[in-house]
Amino acid sequence: MTSNTAALEKSSFQQQQKTTYHVLFIIGLCHLLNDSLQSVIPAMFPILEKSMSLTYTQLGFIAFTLNIVSSVLQPIIGAYTDKKPVPYALPIGLSISMLGILGLAFSPSFKMVLFFVFFIGVGSAVFHPEGSRVAYMAAGSRRGLAQSIYQVGGNSGQALAPLITALVLVPLGQPGIVYFTLVAALAVILLIYIAKWYKVKLPSLPEKTGKISTTARSLANKKAANFAASIILFIIFARSWYGTSIASFYAFYVIEKYGVSIQASQGYVFLFLVMGAVGTFLGGPLADRFGKRTVIITSIMASIPLTFALPFAGPVTAYFLLALIGLILLSSFSVTVVYAQELFPGRIGTVSGLTIGFAFGMGAIGAVAIGALIDQFGLTTIMIAISLLPVLGITSYFLPTDKTIIEWQNNE
């Protein structure tokens, strides 16, 4: 079979398949539940900073442990399940996270916190590439929309961190985390249903027969595709470091600059994250309509003047700027994943694990690095410095167009 025929069969397969919306909404909800468990980690920071007298660097290492474990394991798990799909990996992964949450609620020391955060990282590493695969399987011809539905669940879960702090951890303290085992249990139940659907659906996919694997292998070896992938990873790096700095440390910045309470400071972070979830959802349909490259470039460039202004804004203006930054900057989140998947068709788990895992890894390194820099140079200086990060996204202009990628696939 020629690679051109393989690409056409893949395209025909996607067109013939209807979008399975109920599966997309369930996996999106599970993504929300999974990432709400992860959100417990940064939500703990203001509590642990006081109860265990932790430094910003130690807080950064907690975030680092969560994200680096997930970052390293995601592409490995994705590559393995590309070759040998494991439908029930999803509920197994969430069960591991549930064990981590239970231990975290009663951890008496910094080292024990790190130990149980490791379990949550492993569960996350299993969930994300397999969750992306389920979204791909249920997408039909609506790839951008499907990835957005899936990804907006995760961003919404991340947005819950400030509410978890204000509504659960401030009144109940660290033991209040135990209630999130119920969240994990609900996710496990839903993922058992997804796993059954996944197992039934699997034999009908072209990847199962290897029909497009030749195209994937030859395309992956092209310098142009690899160069485009490197740009995508560079964009993810800049976006992840900026997002991590806001999610993990901006609350401390507004407490110091504006003199607000812990609860009030969480409102700023919540607004950034919830508008990021909205942006993530909108990005996919916009990419389906206007092209993935266009959305990626617009997202980066439009956010630059807003991030410049944020450190110098007053307490009210900061709300509006954070909302716009979250909406615009994170609109490219799901789009970069789909763009990378189309660079390497047939390697959905590997590519999803690499891109999402890389975002986790960059968030991990960023949390430690930014925490250490804040300890060294102070909050204000570093918040001004990180406002420059989106400028690195101008490299998106070097990305090949969507049309060019389709031509690569058809000409292989």
Side-chain angles (χ1 to χ4, degrees):
M1 179 181 294
T2 66
S3 56
N4 183 56
T5 302
L8 290 174
E9 282 196 14
K10 176 194 169 201
S11 175
S12 175
F13 170 81
Q14 290 177 344
Q15 292 296 331
Q16 291 171 5
Q17 296 298 306
K18 293 183 179 180
T19 304
T20 313
Y21 284 103
H22 80 281
V23 171
L24 287 176
F25 288 128
I26 293 173
I27 196 64
L29 175 60
C30 290
H31 199 181
L32 184 154
L33 297 174
N34 177 81
D35 282 24
S36 69
L37 300 180
Q38 293 176 222
S39 294
V40 170
I41 310 306
M44 291 171 58
F45 284 1
I47 307 301
L48 296 181
E49 190 261 344
K50 291 184 178 298
S51 64
M52 295 186 183
S53 300
L54 301 183
T55 66
Y56 289 117
T57 303
Q58 287 175 309
L59 295 176
F61 267 109
I62 294 173
F64 176 84
T65 301
L66 171 69
N67 291 326
I68 203 65
V69 169
S70 184
S71 174
V72 170
L73 291 181
Q74 279 193 49
I76 296 173
I77 292 169
Y80 177 81
T81 54
D82 277 339
K83 297 177 181 179
K84 187 177 180 180
V86 185
Y88 283 90
L90 284 164
I92 292 170
L94 256 293
S95 298
I96 295 172
S97 292
M98 181 163 58
L99 177 62
I101 285 291
L102 182 61
L104 198 60
F106 305 104
S107 295
S109 67
F110 173 65
K111 290 182 179 180
M112 290 302 295
V113 168
L114 291 180
F115 178 76
F116 284 108
V117 165
F118 176 87
F119 282 90
I120 299 172
V122 171
S124 174
V126 174
F127 178 83
H128 282 97
E130 286 301 279
S132 287
R133 189 190 306 278
V134 169
Y136 175 85
M137 291 166 64
S141 61
R142 304 296 302 276
R143 295 285 308 285
L145 175 63
Q147 188 65 31
S148 283
I149 292 173
Y150 167 70
Q151 200 61 56
V152 76
N155 286 47
S156 299
Q158 294 167 19
L160 294 176
L163 295 183
I164 293 171
T165 300
L167 302 180
V168 180
L169 298 184
V170 169
L172 299 179
Q174 186 179 340
I177 295 171
V178 73
Y179 290 106
F180 289 91
T181 57
L182 300 177
V183 174
L186 174 60
V188 170
I189 292 170
L190 292 173
L191 287 173
I192 290 172
Y193 171 83
I194 290 292
K196 291 178 180 178
W197 176 88
Y198 183 163
K199 187 175 182 180
V200 171
K201 185 79 171 176
L202 195 58
S204 67
L205 298 179
E207 290 88 340
K208 182 70 175 177
T209 62
K211 290 182 179 179
I212 65 172
S213 60
T214 301
T215 303
R217 285 194 297 269
S218 58
L219 181 59
N221 291 328
K222 282 188 169 291
K223 292 182 179 180
N226 290 332
F227 179 68
S230 68
I231 293 174
I232 288 294
L233 294 178
F234 192 65
I235 292 169
I236 291 172
F237 152 72
R239 189 180 60 207
S240 295
W241 270 48
Y242 185 83
T244 294
S245 67
I246 298 298
S248 297
F249 300 111
Y250 191 76
F252 296 105
Y253 180 71
V254 297
I255 290 172
E256 180 180 292
K257 184 175 182 180
Y258 306 140
V260 302
S261 65
I262 291 177
Q263 289 94 328
S265 72
Q266 299 305 306
Y268 290 89
V269 180
F270 175 73
L271 187 60
F272 169 76
L273 295 174
V274 77
M275 292 304 293
V278 174
T280 297
F281 176 75
L282 295 177
L286 288 172
D288 285 338
R289 182 178 179 87
F290 299 108
K292 289 171 281 297
R293 180 178 180 271
T294 299
V295 171
I296 292 170
I297 292 174
T298 302
S299 166
I300 296 294
M301 300 308 295
S303 65
I304 290 174
L306 302 174
T307 62
F308 278 180
L310 181 62
F312 309 101
V316 176
T317 306
Y319 275 115
F320 293 102
L321 288 175
L322 283 167
L324 288 173
I325 293 169
L327 180 69
I328 296 170
L329 185 62
L330 295 183
S331 65
S332 65
F333 194 101
S334 61
V335 182
T336 52
V337 176
V338 175
Y339 186 95
Q341 288 174 345
E342 294 189 355
L343 284 173
F344 304 97
R347 296 183 177 178
I348 302 304
T350 304
V351 173
S352 299
L354 178 62
T355 52
I356 301 174
F358 188 74
F360 274 79
M362 287 300 98
I365 296 170
V368 174
I370 293 167
L373 289 170
I374 290 172
D375 283 335
Q376 183 69 29
F377 300 105
L379 271 170
T380 300
T381 300
I382 299 307
M383 283 297 148
I384 293 173
I386 61 98
S387 70
L388 301 173
L389 284 171
V391 174
L392 301 177
I394 61 175
T395 53
S396 59
Y397 277 104
F398 297 103
L399 288 172
T401 64
D402 298 45
K403 182 180 179 181
T404 298
I405 295 174
I406 293 173
E407 290 174 353
W408 287 349
Q409 294 176 5
N410 292 337
N411 291 333
E412 283 295 315

